[in-house]
Amino acid sequence: MSPTVCLTFDFDAISLWIARGQVTPGPVSRGEFGAYAIGRILDLLGRHSVPSTFFIPGHTLETYPAQCSAVAAAGHEIALHGYAHEPVSTLDRDAELAVNRRSAALIEELTGAPPAGHRTPSWDFTDNTIEILGELGVEYDSSLMGTDFEPYFARSGDFNDPDRAYRFGAASSIVELPVSWTLDDYPHLEYLRLPQGVMPGLQDADAMFERFLRDVRYMTETVPDGVVTVTLHPQVVGRGARMAALERFVVGCRALGVAFERCVDVARRFRPVLEGR
Ligand SMILES: [Zn+2]
């Protein structure tokens, strides 16, 4: 197996700002930009034959049906990402299940098949998440950070008593494709002023992708059949010259002998490997 990069796009659009309660025209327009950038992202992926996975909230599926159809028509995977980008730790079990059911139905309506994959909004997670994904027939998740380049079966039923050693739950049948803030364009590039403080962002996109590429190179040297999951946002990476930096990253990955795959294909390839361990 060759080393793999999963280039993933969280197409949050306006839902990201709704989740923060920022619904005045300014923040809404920042979300809108994500939909505006979809065309140029699909163009880049098409020119370089990069299959990709788009994690799309139900709210975006309903607000931007044409852009979501274009993503699906180009052969990219569409996977779960909440309805209105709800932080799942604010939801009880029934609400978390309902949000995912509703969004799964929207994905099935668009693609003709239920979603195989899931990523929690903002990588928030609950004790119920894995069980809910199992109930919905989801095959993989991409929200946790337990490894960097090696997929694993996510656990459920962990127990934490701060007075004793941590008790690990059992492995589930959900394949985890691990993520990291270090491989996410959002904290690197996006400028945010929140009541809790300022997230400066606005770093040089080429410098960010060079850091990403160093991780890809390290993987090819240390885990030759590994997977790097890169998380991008159309409303962030789609802006101006950042797209040219993304293109240089794609070319740089190919020069390292890396294959690009959709998350669903990687999860299905790794399942028998993990079951055999
Ligand atoms: Zn998101």
Side-chain angles (χ1 to χ4, degrees):
M1 282 193 284
S2 62
T4 304
V5 169
C6 288
L7 204 59
T8 67
F9 293 87
D10 294 1
F11 184 12
D12 301 327
I14 299 168
S15 73
L16 182 66
W17 303 94
I18 293 174
R20 296 200 177 112
Q22 294 182 279
V23 289
T24 53
V28 165
S29 71
R30 288 176 75 169
E32 250 174 87
F33 185 85
Y36 176 77
I38 284 293
R40 57 174 68 152
I41 289 169
L42 292 180
D43 174 68
L44 189 156
L45 297 177
R47 280 188 289 107
H48 289 275
S49 301
V50 174
S52 178
T53 296
F54 285 68
F55 294 92
I56 309 187
H59 183 273
T60 301
L61 288 159
E62 292 197 306
T63 306
Y64 294 109
Q67 287 83 348
C68 294
S69 296
V71 169
H76 303 296
E77 177 192 4
I78 296 183
L80 287 163
H81 195 48
Y83 180 80
H85 217 268
E86 307 82 358
V88 286
S89 58
T90 64
L91 307 177
D92 65 20
R93 192 187 193 286
D94 287 349
E96 187 177 356
L97 177 62
V99 158
N100 280 299
R101 263 198 211 293
R102 180 182 183 189
S103 299
L106 290 166
I107 291 174
E108 185 161 4
E109 207 175 292
L110 173 63
T111 66
H118 168 267
R119 172 174 288 161
T120 52
S122 306
W123 298 331
D124 195 16
F125 224 80
T126 74
D127 289 339
N128 303 313
T129 304
I130 289 299
E131 221 178 84
I132 285 172
L133 297 183
E135 268 176 64
L136 294 175
V138 170
E139 299 172 40
Y140 76 87
D141 174 74
S142 184
S143 322
L144 297 174
M145 308 187 187
T147 62
D148 42 14
F149 310 126
E150 295 185 274
Y152 59 98
F153 281 128
R155 292 186 313 271
S156 88
D158 279 19
F159 182 76
N160 175 44
D161 172 348
D163 242 12
R164 305 175 57 172
Y166 191 82
R167 287 224 307 268
F168 298 104
S172 73
S173 61
I174 306 290
V175 175
E176 182 62 40
L177 301 179
V179 292
S180 169
W181 289 112
T182 59
L183 290 161
D184 183 333
D185 63 352
Y186 206 86
H188 288 87
L189 300 183
E190 203 64 5
Y191 171 75
L192 270 186
R193 291 172 66 150
L194 297 167
Q196 305 92 303
V198 172
M199 187 173 90
L202 305 182
Q203 294 178 29
D204 178 84
D206 273 304
M208 176 189 77
F209 280 118
E210 182 50 43
R211 282 204 291 277
F212 290 7
L213 200 60
R214 282 203 288 270
D215 265 357
V216 175
R217 189 178 296 117
Y218 182 79
M219 173 187 70
T220 63
E221 292 164 358
T222 59
V223 188
D225 58 352
V227 181
V228 172
T229 306
V230 172
T231 302
L232 304 172
H233 297 76
Q235 64 186 282
V236 178
V237 79
R239 205 170 268 281
R242 292 170 177 178
M243 286 296 294
L246 170 58
E247 189 153 7
R248 287 188 279 276
F249 174 69
V250 167
V251 171
C253 285
R254 283 256 160 77
L256 291 172
V258 163
F260 289 99
E261 278 188 90
R262 304 181 310 169
C263 292
V264 59
D265 301 319
V266 172
R268 287 179 182 165
R269 185 157 61 74
F270 268 90
R271 177 175 298 282
V273 177
L274 298 177
E275 281 169 351
R277 275 180 194 165

